[in-house]
Amino acid sequence: MKNIIYSIKKYKFLLFQLVSRDFKVKYKRSVLGIIWSLLYPLLTMSVLALVFTQMFRMSNNPDVNYLVYLMSGLVIFNYFSEASNLAMSSVVGNFSLINKVYIPKYIFPLSKCLFVGINFLLTLIPLYAIIFLTGTGININHLLLPFAFICLFMFTLGVGFILSTISVFLRDMFYIYGVVITLLMYMTPIMYDLSIVPENLQLLFKFNPLYWFIYFSRDIILYNQIPAINVWIYCLIFGLGTLLIGMFVFKKNQDKFIYYV
Amino acid sequence: MKQEDMMINLENVSMRFNLGIEKGFSLKQGFINMFDPKKRKAKKELKKKNEFWALKDVSFKIKRGEVVGFIGSNGAGKSTLLKVVAGVMKPTKGKVNAYGNICPMIELGAGFDPQLTARENIYLDGAVMGYSKELIDSKFDEIVDFAELRDFLDVPVQNFSSGMVARLAFSIATIVEPEILIVDEILSVGDIAFQAKSEAKMMDMIMGGTTVLYVSHTLESIKKLCDKVVWLDHGKIRKIGGKELCDEYFKECNI
C-alpha cells in the first residue's frame, strides 16, 4: 500500500501528461472541440427519447421525467463503456513504450479511466441542464452523488485492469468485449424500468453492478431520497471488490506482458 | 568491493524469450491432444524449442565511475542486457540491482505523440523519461536551443522532418546528469553540424565521471572510452577484461 502511494506520487506528473495528451489529441482539428463532450450525451439522449417515447411506448413511472431518467442512466453507462474500452486497449496500444522505457504499466489503464472521468464530469453539465429545464430540481441529497461516482470509477478501473491484462494474451478480447458491452447495455435499465423485466429474470439483472450505481443516482435525482443502506453497501462492494480483483490480476501478470509484444 | 562503491550488480541473470513461432492451433486438436500423452509430450517439446535464452547466467558488478563496454555479434544479448539493467524487462531468473538514477539512451523519443506540438512533446517525452515538471521547466530553453527548433515550437511533430524529430529527442534525453548512463551505440543524429554537436555532447556525458554501460560495434570507440570490456557470446559472458579483449574479439571475427 505504501508502495502504491509512493509510486503514484512519483508518476503523478506522467499521469497528468498522459491525460492531458488524450484531451489535446481528442479535440484536435474539430471545430466544436470540447463542446462535443456536452453535446454528445444530449444528442444520444434525444435519439433514445424519440425512439422510446414515440415509437415504443415504455411503461414508466408517470411521476418522474423520462428525459431525466434516461440521462441519469446514460451518463453513467457511457462512462463505463468508454473508459473500460479505452483501458482495455491501453496496454497493447502502448507496447512500443513499454518495450523501451521503464514505466509502471498500471499507469495506462489508470490514465484512460481518469481521462474519461474528466469527460464524465463535463457530461454532468448537460445532465443538470436537463434536471433544471424539466423542472425536476435539485436537493441537498445531491451532495451524496460523489459516492456513487467514486464507486463507479473503482469498478471501471478494476474492469479496465482485468480487460487490459486479458487482451495482452488474447487479442480476440477486443471483439468479444464489443458484444459484451452491447449485451450489457440492454441488461442495464437505462431506457426502461426494471419492473418491466419478467420477475424471474430480475435477480439476474441485479447482479449487474452498473444497475446499483444508476439506482443510487436515480434515488437522489428523481425521487429526492437518500438511498437505502443496502444500496450503499452494494455499490461499495461492487466498486472496491472489482478494483481489488483487478489490481491483483494485473499485478500478477504484468511482468509477462513483455513476452507478448 | 565496498558496498557504497557498487553501482550495478547482476546475479545469475537469465532472460527467456518466446520466439513466437506460429503454430496451427484449433480447439478440436487441442482437446484431442489433451487425452493423448504422446501428443502432450510433443507439445511440451515444441514449447521448449520455441524458447530462446537471450541471456544465460550472466553475473557482473560495476563500480561507481566505471565505463564498461559490451561487445559481441548481433543477437549476443547486448541490447537485452541493457534493457534488463534499465528495468524495462524483468529477468526470467536472477537478480538485478542498480543503485542510482538511470538514463537509458536506448531508444529516443519513445514518448512522442506525433499529433502534439514540439512544446507539448517536450513535456510528454520528459515525463515518460521520468523527469519532474520543475526539471523540464528549468531546462526548457536549454532543450530548445540545443535542438535549434525555437521557430517550430508550436508545430505538430508529425510535420517535422525525421532529422528534426531526432534532434528534439536527443536534446530531451541528454539534459539530465544521471548516475548511470546506458548507451546503445553513440548517437549522432541530424545534419553534419548537429552530428558533431551531438557526438561531442555524448562524449561529455560519458567522460563526465558517471557510470556508463556502453554497447557498440565500433571497436575503436570502445577502446578509446572504456576501462572494462564485457564480451558476450550467445547470451553468455565469454570474457571480462580490459581493452585488449577488443583485439581478441576482432581476431576471432576475421577468421
Side-chain angles (χ1 to χ4, degrees), chain A residues 65-246:
Chain A
N65 186 288
Y66 188 60
L67 287 183
V68 180
Y69 186 87
L70 258 181
M71 196 66 177
S72 53
L74 208 58
V75 161
I76 289 179
F77 185 83
N78 279 352
Y79 170 74
F80 173 76
S81 157
E82 199 185 338
S84 60
N85 246 318
L86 285 178
M88 173 169 60
S89 49
S90 63
V91 171
V92 173
N94 281 299
F95 258 158
S96 59
L97 215 59
I98 291 172
N99 205 9
K100 285 173 192 161
V101 277
Y102 174 73
I103 295 175
K105 297 168 189 72
Y106 69 82
I107 214 160
F108 298 112
L110 179 61
S111 81
K112 293 297 179 193
C113 286
L114 285 174
F115 159 60
V116 185
I118 294 170
N119 221 14
F120 168 80
L121 293 180
L122 287 172
T123 60
L124 293 181
I125 298 172
L127 172 65
Y128 275 92
I130 294 289
I131 288 174
F132 281 112
L133 288 176
T134 55
T136 310
I138 60 166
N139 52 73
I140 188 87
N141 292 339
H142 277 244
L143 292 176
L144 300 174
L145 278 175
F147 175 77
F149 299 161
I150 289 168
C151 290
L152 171 69
F153 175 77
M154 291 195 294
F155 172 69
T156 310
L157 185 58
V159 172
F161 279 144
I162 297 170
L163 288 174
S164 57
T165 306
I166 298 175
S167 65
V168 169
F169 305 108
L170 190 76
R171 304 287 153 93
D172 312 43
M173 203 56 208
F174 296 119
Y175 304 100
I176 297 169
Y177 192 61
V179 180
V180 170
I181 210 91
T182 315
L183 178 70
L184 197 64
M185 184 171 139
Y186 288 104
M187 281 190 68
T188 309
I190 299 169
M191 38 226 162
Y192 58 84
D193 195 84
L194 193 63
S195 57
I196 66 159
V197 176
E199 234 166 87
N200 50 349
L201 278 177
Q202 282 189 12
L203 184 68
L204 180 69
F205 277 57
K206 284 179 182 170
F207 275 110
N208 175 3
L210 292 175
Y211 169 75
W212 293 106
F213 306 139
I214 294 175
Y215 190 100
F216 188 100
S217 314
R218 280 181 180 158
D219 246 2
I220 292 170
I221 296 172
L222 291 167
Y223 306 107
N224 279 357
Q225 60 191 15
I226 298 174
I229 186 77
N230 66 321
V231 184
W232 288 78
I233 293 172
Y234 290 146
C235 284
L236 191 65
I237 289 179
F238 278 125
L240 199 61
T242 314
L243 179 61
L244 290 177
I245 294 171

Side-chain angles (χ1 to χ4, degrees), chain A residues 21 24 97 102 255 259, chain B residues 16 83 87 90 110 113 120:
Chain A
R21 185 258 306 256
K24 286 172 192 153
L97 215 59
Y102 174 73
D255 290 334
Y259 302 120
Chain B
R16 185 185 62 207
K83 283 186 179 181
K90 212 173 172 179
D113 189 302
E120 291 162 340

